[in-house]
Amino acid sequence: MSQDSGKLDQLRNTIDDLDSQLVELLAKRADVTRQVGEYKSQTGMPIYVPSREAELIKKRRSEAQQKGVPPALVEDLLRRIMRESYQTQNRQYLCVNPDIKKIVVVGGSGALGRIFVDMFTRSDYPVSILEAGDWPKADAILEGAGLVLVAVPIKLTEKVIGQLNNLPDNCILADVTSTKHRPLQAMLASHKGPVVGLHPMFGPDVQSLVKQVVVVCNGRQKSTYQWLIEQFKCWGAILHESDARQHDDAMAFIQVMRHFSSFVYGGHLAGENPDLEQLVAFSSPIYRLELAMVGRLFAQDPELYADIIFNNVESIGLLKRFRDRFDSALSLLESGDKGEFVKQFFIIGNWFGPYAKECLVNSKKLLLKADDDRT
């Protein structure tokens, strides 16, 4: 073994020792965050406190700068560690309203319903489940309920809500459907008590509600279901209030247009039949991410996405206008009109404004992560 090789081995051994120390420190930190979670569950503090997270990152970035360590590296590490810390705290929560003697989740055995059954159970609420085969005994299941949460497929939501027309007057009726106007109107018509529409902007594969967005569409007797809103905050969710129609208009862009475009893009790839492994191998990080966003759609339940797309018939006009703009852009390419293309590029960029620069900065972080994952 050469002298240089021996020196390299020594340096590698030192790195191994430091890495082992890092693992030990992470284990100690995880134990402390577990204790923090226990304290928060006893006091009702939310798992996610944005100001605390921002303060912590700011201090560590400053320390990194002073020690000659890239602040961005420290922030990346901290955000990953904190994400794991939120999971260690995600075990037990304070029950915001102990007066609630029963919560019924309609569709609680489904993918999304199970999440809420689990979260309410962790918060020490008595939870019952009402499934399709339980309707003959529905009155007994619903008796004394303080909250009934409808978590069934979109195509069944309004029908199920129509069957919930004999709830206790003070019972809260809520749904977690991805469309809001029609389900909210159905709830208001079926139940005379408090009503609220909720749209969790996440899928059934989330590990916790920390930093997950939930849209709230107020229906009736807002003060009565305020505890439910506070419970979501306690779980770490980020809540946004919206008018039901405005919500559905936004979802046409956020969900329908995006999913439909991915469906068509995936269909085009399947029809052209390129070598998929070669596409991935040759791709830059940004294209790999774009391809992953398309590919993940086809790894999920087609009925769910069919319901999302087909349930919003108003979005057909939006999709047709998207098709027209695609054809218009294609005509620029066919005519070789680069000048008009550049002109439109600037017009669109001006519409995005400063957000375009934010996207450039934020996407760089995603691209670095995509590079890290390349094998």
Side-chain angles (χ1 to χ4, degrees), residues 153-172:
I154 298 173
K155 60 186 178 183
L156 301 177
T157 298
E158 291 178 55
K159 177 183 177 182
V160 167
I161 289 172
Q163 295 175 270
L164 299 170
N165 56 8
N166 194 30
L167 300 178
D169 290 343
N170 60 347
C171 176
I172 299 166

Side-chain angles (χ1 to χ4, degrees), residues 242-307:
S242 173
D243 172 80
R245 285 194 180 277
Q246 291 177 344
H247 165 276
D248 289 355
D249 289 344
M251 287 308 112
F253 292 94
I254 296 171
Q255 289 189 319
V256 179
M257 183 175 169
R258 188 67 266 158
H259 296 328
F260 191 78
S261 297
S262 294
F263 171 77
V264 174
Y265 189 13
H268 181 63
L269 287 174
E272 296 294 316
N273 195 29
D275 186 328
L276 185 56
E277 290 186 4
Q278 188 179 70
L279 290 184
V280 175
F282 290 176
S283 293
S284 64
I286 189 66
Y287 185 71
R288 286 177 60 219
L289 287 174
E290 291 176 348
L291 194 59
M293 291 305 296
V294 175
R296 78 184 298 273
L297 178 76
F298 297 97
Q300 300 180 74
D301 181 7
E303 290 289 339
L304 170 63
Y305 289 94
D307 285 347

